[in-house]
């Protein structure tokens, strides 16, 4: 069963990662404590770069799913699946952070 993300949570890009373009490829470069904890680089595809930019401010999962569907002309179901996959992986690696609304 796919993980659902709580409506009470806000998600945002971890400010300890910088998005850089190198030779046409996009990567996240850890800085500060993240450089010690992550020990590597994160390769980003076109859609993950869009999500990274979108998450420069706090958003609910519903906001992300809706905006992603609009940007890529996806069904709500496909957008939800793609966004949930991205959030799961990005949260596991500390690339995206979350906190309770309010």
């Amino acid at each position: 069963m796919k993980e659902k993300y709580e409506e009470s949570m806000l998600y945002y890009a971890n400010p300890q990662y910088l998005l850089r373009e190198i030779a046409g490829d996009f990567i996240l470069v850890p800085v500060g404590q993240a450089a010690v904890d992550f020990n590597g680089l994160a390769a980003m595809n076109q859609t993950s770069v869009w999500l990274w930019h979108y998450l420069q401010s706090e958003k609910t999962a519903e906001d992300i799913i809706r905006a992603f569907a609009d940007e890529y002309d996806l069904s709500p179901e496909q957008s939800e699946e793609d966004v949930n996959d991205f959030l799961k992986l990005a949260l596991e690696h500390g690339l995206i952070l979350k906190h309770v609304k309010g």
Side-chain angles (χ1 to χ4, degrees), residues 9-87:
M9 300 302 288
L10 291 171
Y11 301 90
Y12 58 100
N14 185 337
Q16 290 194 24
Y17 289 87
L18 303 176
L19 181 64
R20 295 290 183 249
E21 182 179 3
I22 299 174
D25 293 324
F26 289 92
I27 58 168
L28 288 179
V29 179
V31 295
Q33 186 60 41
V36 175
D37 296 339
F38 190 73
N39 194 24
L41 303 172
M44 305 283 279
N45 63 23
Q46 177 185 356
T47 56
S48 61
V49 168
W50 185 90
L51 286 163
W52 182 261
H53 285 294
Y54 187 70
L55 288 168
Q56 292 304 300
S57 61
E58 298 173 339
K59 304 287 192 297
T60 65
E62 184 177 310
D63 293 336
I64 303 164
I65 291 164
R66 186 179 314 111
F68 191 70
D70 290 346
E71 179 68 20
Y72 289 98
D73 196 26
L74 300 173
S75 69
E77 297 79 16
Q78 183 62 56
S79 180
E80 182 176 13
E81 182 177 332
D82 292 350
V83 168
N84 284 343
D85 289 346
F86 172 81
L87 288 176

